[in-house]
């Protein structure tokens, strides 16, 4: 990015830290030439990536309920029990960011271009007008020599994009493929977004479907959240989601009990993340990741098969059950591996005290070579009525923590339109502040009506 060298008002001399006055050309103490100090660049907006096209209809016959597993003919033994609890959290609403030009005057009315600030002051929704003509409609000079055959900048449309993802002409950071991802199958959909504060998306997901030996369907959703304090968290989440999904698609058609298959899938995901650490151990001395924490992530997954709903997790990503009938109570089906959950379980704090503590979201379980001990959690449920399974990272549940809050955030038509519902939930998190990456998968679960009640655990 080009910078102009100018006289800059600095709090102190860059050489000796002597206090300076506005307009000083040289430091009065050491004589440092202040004209060579470049002005710090302002935060630059990043153009949001275009949403991919919808690949599949939400259900057979246009507006019908999507394909989802019902009661199957596979006979499985009873599964273990698992506890759950809900802790409410406040919702924060951002302020609007008005668009102004370089002179401070309001921008003229024009077609808005979707952009997002990378900096910490991006507290708005992330959509506002550029302080320059829309690059999609403005006229641009022809590309520089050498740009032919290379990727052209999405902002100036004339510069070549270098290997680091920045324009060599205007310095604009290019949108990454993972900034916003969507996928929809007939019976499951997922959306992942970078959020408004992070510079990259460290979440990942995998959704798929297969068939059990009796021919009944099995639907899978896996969501992973990279641990930001570790090295290569984006690679860790992608490797874990892919490995877990592949393991499930291999085990379920063989007739493996879904709960056993989920346990094995978590172990496979852990092995994939551990392999990244082994690769990093061979990195050259100058590699900035060489001495950092091993790659790590959390994982949560759900399987709908043979009339059962099986969940598995390590970390603080969650699964919620939202009945299609709004009169039925929702439920949270997972327990966090977190400091707050440990304090509550040990009886040292109540939930309000634990989750108000600044250490509340420190995780105590994760996938990675530096994990103390891998303890995959699995639980099996047998819902007696249709509902929606919400599989998400804390980037969403931070803004809808209790089961009732999550149910309120789910659109009323999400059961029939899971992709639409997943988009709406991501928007709910972005409207709340978007402080983290946001990923959610929605899995409609259909069963024949069998009486009263919501989801209950098999015993």
């Amino acid at each position: 990015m080009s910078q102009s060298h100018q006289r800059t008002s600095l709090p102190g001399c860059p050489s000796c830290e002597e206090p300076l006055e506005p307009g000083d050309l040289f430091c009065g103490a050491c004589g440092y030439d202040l004209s060579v100090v470049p002005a710090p660049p302002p935060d630059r907006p990043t153009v949001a990536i275009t949403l991919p096209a919808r690949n599949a209809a939400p259900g057979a016959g246009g507006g019908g309920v999507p394909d989802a597993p019902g009661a199957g003919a596979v006979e499985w033994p009873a599964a273990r029990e698992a506890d759950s609890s809900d802790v409410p959290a406040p919702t924060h609403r951002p302020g609007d960011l008005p668009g102004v030009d370089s002179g401070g005057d309001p921008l003229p009315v024009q077609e808005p271009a979707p952009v997002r600030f990378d900096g910490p002051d991006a507290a708005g929704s992330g959509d506002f007008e550029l302080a320059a003509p829309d690059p999609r409609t403005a006229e641009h000079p022809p590309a520089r020599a050498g740009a032919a055959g290379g990727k052209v900048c999405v902002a100036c449309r004339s510069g070549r994009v270098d290997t680091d993802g920045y324009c060599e002409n205007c310095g604009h950071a290019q949108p990454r493929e993972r900034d916003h991802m969507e996928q929809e199958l007939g019976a499951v959909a997922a959306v992942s977004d970078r959020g408004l504060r992070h510079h990259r998306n460290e979440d990942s997901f995998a959704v798929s479907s297969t068939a059990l030996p009796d021919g009944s369907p099995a639907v899978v959703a896996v969501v992973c959240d990279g641990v930001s304090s570790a090295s290569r968290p984006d690679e860790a989440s992608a490797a874990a989601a892919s490995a877990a999904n592949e393991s499930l698609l291999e085990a379920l058609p063989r007739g493996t009990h879904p709960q056993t298959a989920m346990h094995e899938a978590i172990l496979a995901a852990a092995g994939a993340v551990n392999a990244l650490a082994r690769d990093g151990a061979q990195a050259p001395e100058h590699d900035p990741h060489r001495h950092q924490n091993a790659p790590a992530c959390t994982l949560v997954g759900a399987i709908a098969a043979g009339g059962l709903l099986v969940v598995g997790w390590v970390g603080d990503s969650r699964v919620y059950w939202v009945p299609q009938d709004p009169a039925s109570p929702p439920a949270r089906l997972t327990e966090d591996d977190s400091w707050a959950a440990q304090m509550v379980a040990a009886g040292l704090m109540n939930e309000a005290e634990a989750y108000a503590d600044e250490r509340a979201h420190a995780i105590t379980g994760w996938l990675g070579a530096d994990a103390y001990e891998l303890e995959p959690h699995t639980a099996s449920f047998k819902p007696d009525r249709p509902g929606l399974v919400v599989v998400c990272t804390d980037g969403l549940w931070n803004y809808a923590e209790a089961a009732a809050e999550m149910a309120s955030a789910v659109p009323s038509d999400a059961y029939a339109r899971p992709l639409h519902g997943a988009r709406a939930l991501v928007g709910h998190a972005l409207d709340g502040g978007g402080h983290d990456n946001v990923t959610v998968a929605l899995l409609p679960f259909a069963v024949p009506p069998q009486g009263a009640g919501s989801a209950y655990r098999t015993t």
Side-chain angles (χ1 to χ4, degrees):
M1 181 181 295
S2 61
Q3 295 178 349
S4 59
H5 295 265
Q6 59 184 11
R7 290 176 293 179
T8 308
S9 297
L10 301 172
C13 173
S15 176
C16 68
E17 300 184 352
E18 178 73 9
L20 301 174
E21 295 293 333
D24 282 352
L25 297 177
F26 299 90
C27 174
C30 68
Y32 189 89
D33 185 358
L34 301 176
S35 65
V36 301
V37 179
D43 289 341
R44 308 300 295 177
T46 299
V47 177
I49 194 168
T50 303
L51 302 184
R54 301 179 183 180
N55 297 325
V65 176
D67 298 332
V74 178
E75 294 294 333
W76 285 308
R80 298 173 299 182
E81 296 186 0
D83 258 322
S84 63
S85 61
D86 298 309
V87 181
T91 298
H92 305 281
R93 297 290 178 181
D96 294 330
L97 294 177
V100 296
D101 60 20
S102 58
D105 298 321
L107 291 174
V109 178
Q110 59 184 357
E111 181 69 20
V115 296
R116 182 178 292 125
F117 275 121
D118 288 333
D121 295 329
S125 65
D127 292 329
F128 48 89
E129 295 179 334
L130 288 171
D134 188 339
R136 298 171 296 179
T137 59
E139 296 183 0
H140 302 284
R144 298 188 303 112
K151 187 176 180 181
V152 178
C153 175
V154 299
C156 71
R157 299 283 179 159
S158 61
R160 186 176 66 86
V161 178
D162 62 21
T163 56
D164 293 328
Y166 291 86
C167 176
E168 294 182 345
N169 179 49
C170 68
H172 197 103
Q174 305 301 296
R176 301 175 178 89
E177 181 181 0
R178 286 180 62 170
D179 280 0
H180 187 95
M181 302 179 291
E182 297 185 2
Q183 186 176 357
E184 181 184 29
L185 301 176
V188 63
V191 177
S192 181
D193 192 88
R194 187 188 69 181
L196 305 180
R197 299 297 184 93
H198 280 229
H199 70 285
R200 64 181 176 185
N201 189 358
E202 297 170 356
D203 288 356
S204 190
F205 67 82
V207 293
S208 60
S209 62
T210 186
L212 301 177
D214 65 352
S216 61
V219 184
V220 171
V222 177
V223 168
C224 296
D225 185 353
V227 177
S228 296
S229 60
S231 64
R232 301 150 65 195
D234 52 335
E235 296 181 36
S237 63
S242 177
N245 185 61
E246 292 177 3
S247 177
L248 290 170
L249 292 182
E250 180 181 352
L252 292 173
R254 297 199 310 260
T256 305
H257 190 290
Q259 194 164 355
T260 302
M262 178 63 76
H263 182 90
E264 294 174 350
I266 296 175
L267 296 180
V273 178
N274 292 348
L276 296 177
R278 292 193 293 270
D279 293 343
Q282 301 172 1
E285 188 68 30
H286 63 273
D287 190 327
H289 299 311
R290 189 172 187 271
H291 299 293
Q292 294 184 18
N293 295 333
C297 70
T298 67
L299 181 148
V300 65
I303 305 170
L308 292 181
L309 171 59
V310 173
V311 300
W313 72 98
V314 173
D316 61 348
S317 294
R318 295 181 176 179
V319 177
Y320 292 84
W321 167 257
V322 180
Q324 187 181 19
D325 180 5
S328 300
R332 197 179 97 199
L333 306 183
T334 58
E335 288 287 353
D336 297 343
D337 287 322
S338 68
W339 180 91
Q342 281 194 346
M343 294 298 103
V344 174
L348 300 177
M349 291 183 175
N350 60 38
E351 288 186 343
E353 294 170 338
Y355 282 91
D357 193 284
E358 61 182 6
R359 297 165 290 182
H361 292 285
I363 59 174
T364 58
W366 61 88
L367 305 182
D370 61 348
Y372 298 113
E373 184 177 355
L374 178 59
E375 296 182 1
H377 311 291
T378 61
S380 182
F381 304 84
K382 191 174 183 181
D384 66 347
R385 62 189 58 204
L388 192 68
V389 183
V390 181
V391 186
C392 65
T393 62
D394 60 344
L396 171 60
W397 66 253
N398 277 333
Y399 301 100
E401 190 164 355
E405 291 177 315
M406 184 64 71
S408 297
V410 172
S412 59
D413 61 350
Y415 182 83
R417 302 171 61 198
L419 179 59
H420 166 74
R423 289 171 174 166
L425 288 174
V426 168
H428 176 80
L430 298 182
D431 289 343
H435 286 69
D436 199 354
N437 306 142
V438 188
T439 302
V440 58
L442 297 185
L443 196 166
F445 192 103
V447 296
Q450 297 178 8
S454 181
Y456 63 86
R457 300 174 183 82
T458 59
T459 57

